[in-house]
Amino acid sequence: MGPLASPDSILRLKEDLNQLQEQLRSLGSRLDDRWMAPLWEYACLLLHWSHRMNLVSPGDRTQLFTKHIGPACLMAELAESVPHATVVDYGSGAGFPGIPLKIVFPHSFFY
């Protein structure tokens, strides 16, 4: 198993989440509280496994919320407008935007 995320990385990730929440507030939006725990868990898993599998570039690892998860969640309005519950996420890589959107839309199907 690869190295665990350092306490400093976790703190910086939390600060990044707070920054995203501020940015969303300024746009009149926010992350729904129901999404917070699974999005945080996903970010921590990415932070941990990126050290071993290079899922996210080293410079982005503590900015997962502002650079990756937030933009994926902002696509929620667009995804919500699709009249069916099946979405194809071609070339998802480390799971963006598919996994955050699946968290937001748990009853939809993502391929």
Side-chain angles (χ1 to χ4, degrees), residues 17-93:
L17 172 58
N18 292 337
Q19 181 180 353
L20 173 64
Q21 289 174 318
E22 279 299 313
Q23 290 171 352
L24 290 174
R25 257 192 296 282
S26 72
L27 296 172
S29 186
R30 68 182 194 85
L31 291 176
D32 190 298
D33 292 338
R34 295 171 295 168
W35 309 338
M36 294 310 301
L39 287 173
W40 178 257
E41 184 175 349
Y42 174 55
C44 288
L45 285 169
L46 278 175
L47 184 63
H48 171 76
W49 286 104
S50 284
H51 291 282
R52 181 172 183 150
M53 301 176 75
N54 200 29
L55 296 169
V56 179
S57 69
D60 287 0
R61 289 180 185 157
T62 57
Q63 298 175 328
L64 289 171
F65 283 97
T66 54
K67 288 195 171 189
H68 299 288
I69 294 173
C73 289
L74 287 174
M75 293 176 63
E77 278 187 41
L78 177 64
E80 193 171 38
S81 69
V82 176
H84 45 75
T86 302
V87 178
V88 176
D89 179 13
Y90 180 19
S92 194

